[in-house]
Amino acid sequence: MPKAQRGERRNQILQTLAEMLQDPKGEKITTALLAKKLDVSEAALYRHFASKAQMYEGLIEFIETSIFSLVNKIQSEEPAGMKQLEALMAMLLTFAQKNPGMVRVLIGDALVNEDERLQARINQLHDRIEASLRQSARQAVADQALPANWDINAYANTLLAFATGRWHQFAKSGFKRMPLEMWVAQWPVFAA
């Protein structure tokens, strides 16, 4: 199989896995179910991925690339710290709303009973998001949009906890409670 077709098949497998994760029932996804959905053999899946854990790693890489390319864009294009924070939070909620299957990976639901290194990698991703929020909060303090004695560590952690809470609500509601629901009314609480 030519390399371009291998890459396309690999992406098709990941896309199908992400779609299966959107099932509100949140049932365990096996390679047999995934192969059946793709109308291929399990052996065909293993030609592209050494394990199911490697498939989940592919989804995590997509999440990391998507989120942190947007984080970098927001932080490089917007000089004001509070505007960065608002944009970062809106981006985290929007990403979840547009990618419901990925939310189950972000909150660890899809990783239960999978290789523990996957959850460690998600924890690391959360730490990186919190560090980005902390960086923007430092800028907000420098801009005097937040008080000089502001505890930026506690603030960044609170923002991350809010985002992950909204992700959990979205997943646990069967993807009915939208992450951006009430966001416009909620942001002023964090900006006050």
Side-chain angles (χ1 to χ4, degrees):
M1 182 180 289
K3 195 170 188 159
Q5 284 181 317
R6 284 186 57 81
E8 287 173 24
R9 174 58 82 175
R10 186 178 165 86
N11 288 340
Q12 183 184 24
I13 292 167
L14 292 176
Q15 187 173 4
T16 303
L17 176 58
E19 287 168 6
M20 290 174 76
L21 288 169
Q22 292 180 39
D23 180 355
K25 294 178 193 141
E27 293 175 18
K28 183 170 170 60
I29 296 171
T30 63
T31 53
L33 283 173
L34 180 58
K36 183 178 179 186
K37 183 93 169 163
L38 285 161
D39 198 25
V40 299
S41 68
E42 282 186 78
L45 295 178
Y46 290 115
R47 281 195 287 278
H48 299 280
F49 296 95
S51 64
K52 190 164 74 163
Q54 203 177 68
M55 293 176 204
Y56 281 112
E57 283 176 344
L59 293 180
I60 294 170
E61 285 170 19
F62 170 80
I63 293 168
E64 287 173 336
T65 301
S66 300
I67 287 178
F68 290 107
S69 66
L70 292 169
V71 165
N72 293 337
K73 183 178 182 349
I74 290 166
Q75 289 182 328
S76 66
E77 293 178 3
E78 176 54 64
M82 285 308 289
K83 288 193 182 291
Q84 284 179 17
L85 288 163
E86 182 178 10
L88 290 171
M89 292 298 292
M91 176 272 294
L92 292 170
L93 300 176
T94 301
F95 177 84
Q97 195 160 304
K98 289 182 176 179
N99 301 283
M102 300 301 180
V103 171
R104 294 203 42 233
V105 175
L106 275 167
I107 65 171
D109 271 11
L111 307 177
V112 173
N113 300 321
E114 299 297 337
D115 191 308
E116 63 188 39
R117 79 177 186 278
L118 296 171
Q119 186 60 57
R121 189 159 172 193
I122 285 296
N123 293 346
Q124 197 173 41
L125 182 138
H126 284 224
D127 291 345
R128 286 179 61 201
I129 291 170
E130 187 173 348
S132 297
L133 293 167
R134 195 168 27 255
Q135 180 182 343
S136 293
R138 271 192 203 96
Q139 183 59 50
V141 169
D143 298 341
Q144 298 179 343
L146 292 173
N149 64 348
W150 199 252
D151 187 335
I152 59 170
N153 293 323
Y155 185 64
N157 182 261
T158 300
L159 292 173
L160 178 65
F162 175 82
T164 57
R166 293 311 301 260
W167 296 341
H168 274 274
Q169 279 185 328
F170 187 40
K172 300 302 180 187
S173 71
F175 305 113
K176 289 180 178 72
R177 293 221 36 209
M178 296 296 152
L180 286 167
E181 177 184 317
M182 297 183 286
W183 170 242
V184 172
Q186 290 168 329
W187 172 247
V189 172
F190 296 106

